[in-house]
């Protein structure tokens, strides 16, 4: 497939996008009667109340150790979170003192056994990390507001597990966390607990389109925050749907403006679920292809939404090579087909995936049907 040739899905989505955001004479500004999107169920009464996992259910909250053996084959071992540290103490495939460790937290109705989670785990393992993933399918399949309520308890338990690993050589400097959707907030809770218990913050925390529903109007102690780790980076892919628009990290990347992502399936636009889920695919490919996802610094989130950042001379990589010495808001261009990265071609305004295509539709001087 020619990665530089737009398909019909992108054309369709571009038409919708431009119709919603622009008119021929200039930029569309909603009237006071129309207002600005408030997002999907920003407030969920009761989600800050306590939630407890009983002793009878605790064994279903698991840590999965994701490894590569000598033949480069994936080996996975699931353990209850309360005893995982003991089971790992004798592992010969783990080096907490000399290797980096990452804990990846899955999202709502998600599992560490799903292919995308395993792909992320393998990408980290190939780069020499000790890799752990959460298994929460028994808990994060409750009706969504109750799953949000459980998230803090899950995060606390993961944090306790990580604290116990410090007795085996884990240090904050070698600890990274990442999470998808509600898993991003759980990773934030785990980081908060780790700091409260050890006085040290994890080295890095990555949020992949942190969940917006039920979280948008909560204070920072109830969601992922830039204060949770020494370096916090956030990827936004569906800010007015299942994600959230505001800055949450030291560096926030807004992929293609952060609202909706282009799809690679003809005639089917990438709407809410698709755009939200695309965040983990971008991260997986960023791990696999260092320095291929390049963002442009923006003056504001609104500029990122409208891709008004191409006059910027400051760039940053999305992935393990992110330069945290250059904090701020970044517009992250992607392609519409796997493996999604655009490299340096994405830094050219004429290659912006929405507006460049919509211009081409009526580029002829005379249209005859």
């Amino acid at each position: 497939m020619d990665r530089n040739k737009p398909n019909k899905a992108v054309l369709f989505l571009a038409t919708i996008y431009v119709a919603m955001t622009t008119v021929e004479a200039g930029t569309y500004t909603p009237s006071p009667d129309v207002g600005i999107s408030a997002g999907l169920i920003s407030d969920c009464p009761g989600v800050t109340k306590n939630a407890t996992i009983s002793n009878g259910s605790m064994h279903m909250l698991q840590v999965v150790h994701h490894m590569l053996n000598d033949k480069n084959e994936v080996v996975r071992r699931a353990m209850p979170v309360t005893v995982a540290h003991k089971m790992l103490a004798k592992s010969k495939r783990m080096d907490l003192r000399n290797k980096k460790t990452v804990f990846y937290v899955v999202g709502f109705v998600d599992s560490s056994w799903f292919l995308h989670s395993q792909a992320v785990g393998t990408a980290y393992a190939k780069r020499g990390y000790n890799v752990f993933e959460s298994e929460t399918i028994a808990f994060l399949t409750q009706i969504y507001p109750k799953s949000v309520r459980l998230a803090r308890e899950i995060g606390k338990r993961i944090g306790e597990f990580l604290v116990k690993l410090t007795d085996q050589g884990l240090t904050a400097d070698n600890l990274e966390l990442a999470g998808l959707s509600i898993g991003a907030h759980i990773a934030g809770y785990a980081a908060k607990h780790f700091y409260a218990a050890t006085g040290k913050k994890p080295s890095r925390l990555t949020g992949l389109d942190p969940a917006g529903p039920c979280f948008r109007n909560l204070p920072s102690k109830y969601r992922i925050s830039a204060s949770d780790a020494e370096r916090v980076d956030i990827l936004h892919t569906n800010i007015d749907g299942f994600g959230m628009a505001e800055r949450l990290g030291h560096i926030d990347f807004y992929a293609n403006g952060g609202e909706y992502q282009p799809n690679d399936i003809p005639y089917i636009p990438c709407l809410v679920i698709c755009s939200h889920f695309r965040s983990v695919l971008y991260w997986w490919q960023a791990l696999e292809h260092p320095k291929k996802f390049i963002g442009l610094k923006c003056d504001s989130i609104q500029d990122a939404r409208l891709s008004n950042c191409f006059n910027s001379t400051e760039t940053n990589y999305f992935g393990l090579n992110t330069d945290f010495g250059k904090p701020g808001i970044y517009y992250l261009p992607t392609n519409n087909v796997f493996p999604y990265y655009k490299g340096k071609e994405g830094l050219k305004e004429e290659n912006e995936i929405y507006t460049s295509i919509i211009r081409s539709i009526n580029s002829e001087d005379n249209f005859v049907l």
Side-chain angles (χ1 to χ4, degrees), residues 204-224:
R204 182 170 182 172
L205 171 60
T206 299
L208 305 177
D209 209 34
C214 299
F215 287 99
R216 283 192 181 89
N217 295 331
L218 294 180
S220 60
K221 70 176 182 178
Y222 289 115
R223 59 185 187 176
I224 190 171

Side-chain angles (χ1 to χ4, degrees), residues 60-75:
M60 293 186 289
L61 179 57
Q62 297 183 331
V63 172
V64 178
H65 188 196
H66 187 106
M67 303 158 279
L68 295 177
N69 64 18
D70 296 337
K71 297 181 180 180
N72 220 32
E73 299 168 331
V74 173
V75 179

